[in-house]
Amino acid sequence: MAVAGLRGLGPAARRALGRAPCRAHRLTPADDELYQRTRLTVLEPESPGAVFLEGYTSRGFTVSGDLVVGPCAILPRAILQWNVGSYRDISHQSLSLFRLLEPRIEILVLGTGDRVERLHPAVLKRMRECGIAVEVQDTPNACATFNFLTSEKRVAAAGLIPPRGTYRGM
């Protein structure tokens, strides 16, 4: 396409034609959308026995090479299906599994789906009284947080609800 043909196109359209922004290029919101998806290939896990979240879809999660369908509880040494349908089902009873673990977990990361949802304060207070910190996030961020915590050798667990309509390999 000749340079004269590019004059009528906006900046985003020009970039879409194959010219990637250089390092000195300041990203605009449209540019940022192109870079929100990052792929990571794990060549060799640092801790072969550690659980690692590799990806998620609207149907479930890929955890250390295994597909888990639906909401799941990821514990230091086990992966279980978690009997919650949405964040509204997260209660004192549904979190009891995480309180019974030995050794006791330091932090519980809860992924509530596509967005961060508020949980009942009494539920969170009860977990803190048991000595477990709770981090409530949207599921994509909860997956990343869990991976970071386990890579730092923290005793962490996760309760994850798949996000709707999102497909991502981490």
Side-chain angles (χ1 to χ4, degrees), residues 51-72:
V51 176
F52 184 75
L53 276 157
E54 296 170 2
Y56 57 86
T57 69
S58 60
R59 297 190 62 221
F61 302 90
T62 305
V63 185
S64 298
D66 296 318
L67 179 62
V68 180
V69 178
C72 64

Side-chain angles (χ1 to χ4, degrees), residues 80-91:
L80 307 172
Q81 288 193 308
W82 193 30
N83 193 20
V84 295
S86 75
Y87 75 94
R88 291 179 189 92
D89 298 327
I90 298 175
S91 65

Side-chain angles (χ1 to χ4, degrees), residues 18-45:
R19 193 181 78 124
C22 64
R23 273 191 175 273
H25 178 75
R26 186 174 178 96
L27 295 177
T28 65
D31 293 330
D32 191 35
E33 292 170 3
L34 297 172
Y35 296 101
Q36 286 183 358
R37 294 192 176 103
T38 303
R39 295 221 181 261
L40 174 69
T41 302
V42 178
L43 299 176
E44 184 175 337

Side-chain angles (χ1 to χ4, degrees), residues 51-145:
V51 176
F52 184 75
L53 276 157
E54 296 170 2
Y56 57 86
T57 69
S58 60
R59 297 190 62 221
F61 302 90
T62 305
V63 185
S64 298
D66 296 318
L67 179 62
V68 180
V69 178
C72 64
I74 302 175
L75 311 175
R77 292 193 174 98
I79 305 163
L80 307 172
Q81 288 193 308
W82 193 30
N83 193 20
V84 295
S86 75
Y87 75 94
R88 291 179 189 92
D89 298 327
I90 298 175
S91 65
H92 175 68
Q93 290 79 18
S94 68
L95 295 177
S96 62
L97 164 70
F98 300 104
R99 289 191 306 274
L100 298 173
L101 295 174
E102 284 295 330
R104 185 170 301 281
I105 60 172
E106 298 173 39
I107 186 164
L108 171 62
V109 182
L110 293 175
T112 56
D114 288 316
R115 28 179 270 196
V116 179
E117 302 289 354
R118 292 180 56 88
L119 300 182
H120 195 280
V123 172
L124 299 175
K125 181 181 177 193
R126 189 79 173 260
M127 294 300 283
R128 281 192 307 270
E129 288 171 353
C130 294
I132 300 172
V134 179
E135 182 68 36
V136 181
Q137 299 178 336
D138 58 293
T139 299
N141 286 315
C143 291
T145 300

